[in-house]
Amino acid sequence: IDICFKPEQNEIDDFLYIIHNFGNIKLNNKNVLGKLLKQENLELLTNWLKTDNKYINEVKYELVYDAKKNGDNKDNFHKFCDKIGPSLLVVKTESNYIFGGYTKENWETINNDSITKKDETAFLFSLNNKQRIKVKKSENAIIIDNDYGPIFGKGNAYEICLSYPFLSNNVQICDKGDYGDKDYILTGNKSKKPVEIEIYKVAEECDENKIFF
């Protein structure tokens, strides 16, 4: 008897997640996803990335940091994420809201100093509401600090800020902004306590024909 079994996409994603995290295997030209990003999210995220770079032809997503597996503290965040280049932060709260932020900048500090970086492509997003939000001021897009995790925004107007231990502390979110109530958009004005945090390396492949012709 011939039996043909076709797994569901979420089963495939879970399988790739297990291989990547426990077998330490990299899959060339494939997305390596964790628990929070699914295949159906990738087209939306890629379109958001193309908003500020019309030359992007293809985007690959690779999970590099899982707070539960790799440790929800500042040292492990910087160990896994400092030099990966463009990256995507994804957070899931206990109220099942999934949101995050993108930056093209590295999370590496210099001489352990706190650094503010400009990034005109940086944005926040909500997967629940399918909404993209530009950071309020691109010149203060992210803060890199060895005493914290990822920070989008600056000073008393943090748009997203993770303080360690990441899974024990509420995510700091600036409530109001140019795009309305960010707290409502990102967390539904519900719990800000994260239950999952993942960071993805984002590899952007550009179409040379679009650049030069």
Side-chain angles (χ1 to χ4, degrees):
I1 300 174
D2 292 329
I3 298 175
C4 182
F5 172 70
K6 184 177 180 180
E8 297 293 330
Q9 185 60 54
N10 66 314
E11 294 173 322
I12 296 173
D13 292 342
D14 289 341
F15 176 69
L16 291 174
Y17 176 80
I18 291 170
I19 290 176
H20 179 66
N21 285 280
F22 295 98
N24 195 28
I25 297 173
K26 289 188 177 181
L27 304 179
N28 292 330
N29 299 320
K30 297 289 184 181
N31 296 306
V32 180
L33 304 182
K35 297 179 180 178
L36 301 184
L37 284 190
K38 303 300 180 184
Q39 284 295 139
E40 58 263 29
N41 303 136
L42 301 188
E43 182 178 357
L44 180 63
L45 287 165
T46 298
N47 286 336
W48 285 339
L49 289 170
K50 290 180 177 179
T51 300
D52 290 311
N53 188 346
K54 63 183 180 180
Y55 302 117
I56 291 177
N57 185 46
E58 189 173 2
V59 180
K60 301 296 182 184
Y61 302 86
E62 179 186 354
L63 178 69
V64 295
Y65 174 75
D66 178 333
K68 279 188 174 179
K69 176 183 179 292
N70 302 124
D72 65 334
N73 59 66
K74 58 180 183 177
D75 294 329
N76 286 328
F77 159 68
H78 286 288
K79 174 184 176 181
F80 285 93
C81 303
D82 269 7
K83 298 180 180 181
I84 63 174
S87 64
L88 194 74
L89 164 70
V90 188
V91 179
K92 179 181 179 180
T93 67
E94 60 185 4
S95 300
N96 290 318
Y97 274 76
I98 299 177
F99 63 93
Y102 164 83
T103 179
K104 69 178 181 181
E105 298 294 333
N106 277 316
W107 290 106
E108 183 179 21
T109 63
I110 300 175
N111 298 324
N112 293 323
D113 293 329
S114 177
I115 303 172
T116 300
K117 282 195 174 182
K118 178 180 180 179
D119 183 359
E120 295 180 351
T121 68
F123 63 86
L124 314 180
F125 64 88
S126 165
L127 291 184
N128 295 69
N129 294 313
K130 294 181 172 53
Q131 191 165 348
R132 176 187 187 270
I133 311 168
K134 287 289 290 182
V135 295
K136 189 171 184 180
K137 294 183 178 180
S138 61
E139 62 268 27
N140 301 322
I142 64 170
I143 293 179
I144 305 167
D145 193 317
N146 277 346
D147 289 329
Y148 288 87
I151 302 175
F152 289 82
K154 184 181 179 182
N156 295 324
Y158 290 145
E159 296 178 75
I160 293 180
C161 177
L162 298 184
S163 55
Y164 70 96
F166 305 141
L167 297 174
S168 299
N169 291 309
N170 287 344
V171 181
Q172 297 179 49
I173 297 174
C174 177
D175 288 346
K176 301 293 182 181
D178 294 340
Y179 295 84
D181 191 333
K182 287 180 182 170
D183 186 12
Y184 180 80
I185 294 170
L186 300 180
T187 69
N189 276 337
K190 297 181 180 180
S191 172
K192 299 181 184 67
K193 187 175 185 300
V195 294
E196 301 273 0
I197 297 172
E198 296 176 345
I199 294 178
Y200 291 81
K201 177 180 178 179
V202 178
E204 301 165 353
E205 299 177 6
C206 293
D207 187 335
E208 294 182 357
N209 292 325
K210 291 181 181 178
I211 296 174
F212 297 108
F213 297 99

